Amino acid sequence: MNFSNDKAIYIQMADRLCDEILSGKYADDARIPSVREYAVLLQVNTNTAMKAYDQLARDEVIYNKRGLGYFVKPGAKEQIMTARRSEFLEEHLPELFRNMRLLGIDIHDIEKAWTEWEQKQNEKE
């Protein structure tokens, strides 16, 4: 995984695991990779991976079964989706609108770009 400099690595790891939950890779009550497995997979220190898992446990996205590992908490997908939608609408969309106004892009340009993007995604599937 290529990490960016704008967020702490453990936050980026937690975001990646959330992405995997959203994509359906891990369902409710599914076991996720151990801290050590995830650290090796992403080539980071085990302590960094542990911070990511601790954060997700505090956010009630995952839970620990002592001796068995970490599992996806039921309802985590919906919880993640709700939080990310709010973040997008409150933080990212206003910036997008500002840029659209500055660049003279209207909603029809966005609709066209969205349609083209969806078609490309459907062709990949």
Side-chain angles (χ1 to χ4, degrees), residues 10-117:
Y10 80 94
I11 297 290
Q12 294 177 64
M13 291 178 67
D15 287 346
R16 177 185 165 138
L17 197 49
C18 287
D19 289 347
E20 292 171 343
I21 293 168
L22 285 175
S23 74
K25 183 172 182 176
Y26 302 113
D28 287 353
D29 290 315
R31 185 182 178 281
I32 61 173
S34 71
V35 172
R36 185 167 290 144
E37 290 168 339
Y38 215 54
V40 169
L41 176 70
L42 300 182
Q43 300 176 339
V44 299
N45 184 290
T46 305
N47 293 330
T48 303
M50 191 67 231
K51 282 179 76 172
Y53 278 52
D54 284 345
Q55 181 65 50
L56 291 171
R58 279 193 305 275
D59 292 343
E60 298 186 353
V61 172
I62 61 174
Y63 63 95
N64 188 6
K65 284 187 182 178
R66 187 169 233 115
L68 296 175
Y70 285 91
F71 295 80
V72 176
K73 187 167 183 172
K77 182 175 182 176
E78 292 76 22
Q79 177 186 336
I80 295 164
M81 199 173 299
T82 299
R84 287 196 175 177
R85 282 180 179 157
S86 292
E87 178 185 347
F88 179 80
L89 292 172
E90 294 168 13
E91 296 177 23
H92 300 287
L93 205 52
E95 180 66 15
L96 175 68
F97 289 156
R98 186 181 78 74
N99 283 318
M100 286 173 62
R101 176 178 273 170
L102 287 172
L103 299 171
I105 298 171
D106 67 21
I107 196 68
H108 302 294
D109 297 325
I110 300 299
E111 287 174 356
K112 181 182 175 198
W114 173 258
T115 301
E116 290 170 0
W117 182 84

